[in-house]
């Protein structure tokens, strides 16, 4: 509705906007991760599950040894287990390095 008011030259009449309904923005739909990210996440989950399973087996054996042979035997087993685990990790690093060299020698990247 226009009201009768005096306008100076160069002025314009601005009427209030009238919207029929409020504009509702939808939340963005979550996109799936790329396949490489999915593979990395799955590998991390598998590694964690394997680690927990290995720890459960280790603790069960420690408890069995402590019940059967005592606390000193358990401590000795834990020390030997840690030494064996460190040696296995070192051997794995050497094996991975050798495998990489072998593949490079065959012309594979």
């Amino acid at each position: 509705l226009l009201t009768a008011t005096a306008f100076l030259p160069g002025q314009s009449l601005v009427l209030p906007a009238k919207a029929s309904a409020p504009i509702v923005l939808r939340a963005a739909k979550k996109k799936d991760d790329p396949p490489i990210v999915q593979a990395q996440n799955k590998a991390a989950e598998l590694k964690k599950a394997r680690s927990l399973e290995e720890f459960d087996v280790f603790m069960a054996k420690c408890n069995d040894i402590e019940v059967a042979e005592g606390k000193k035997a358990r401590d000795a087993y834990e020390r030997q287990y840690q030494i064996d685990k460190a040696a296995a990790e070192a051997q794995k690093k050497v094996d991975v390095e050798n495998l990489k060299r072998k593949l490079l020698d065959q012309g594979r990247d």
Side-chain angles (χ1 to χ4, degrees), residues 69-88:
E69 302 173 28
K71 180 77 172 149
K72 287 187 179 187
R74 177 189 173 131
D75 291 341
Y77 173 74
E78 287 180 4
R79 280 193 301 278
Q80 187 61 42
Y81 177 83
Q82 295 300 332
I83 291 170
D84 292 345
K85 187 175 178 181

Side-chain angles (χ1 to χ4, degrees), residues 58-78:
F58 167 71
M59 287 306 295
K61 187 155 185 180
C62 284
N63 292 336
D64 291 344
I65 289 174
E66 185 174 1
V67 168
E69 302 173 28
K71 180 77 172 149
K72 287 187 179 187
R74 177 189 173 131
D75 291 341
Y77 173 74
E78 287 180 4

Side-chain angles (χ1 to χ4, degrees), residues 20-66:
S20 61
I23 299 173
V24 179
L25 298 177
R26 292 188 211 142
K29 184 179 177 185
K30 185 181 180 321
K31 295 181 181 177
D32 291 337
D33 289 331
I36 188 73
V37 174
Q38 291 176 1
Q40 288 172 337
N41 292 342
K42 185 168 183 169
E45 289 174 14
L46 289 173
K47 184 176 180 180
K48 184 177 179 180
R50 245 187 324 237
S51 177
L52 289 173
E53 184 178 324
E54 179 182 327
F55 182 73
D56 288 343
V57 169
F58 167 71
M59 287 306 295
K61 187 155 185 180
C62 284
N63 292 336
D64 291 344
I65 289 174
E66 185 174 1

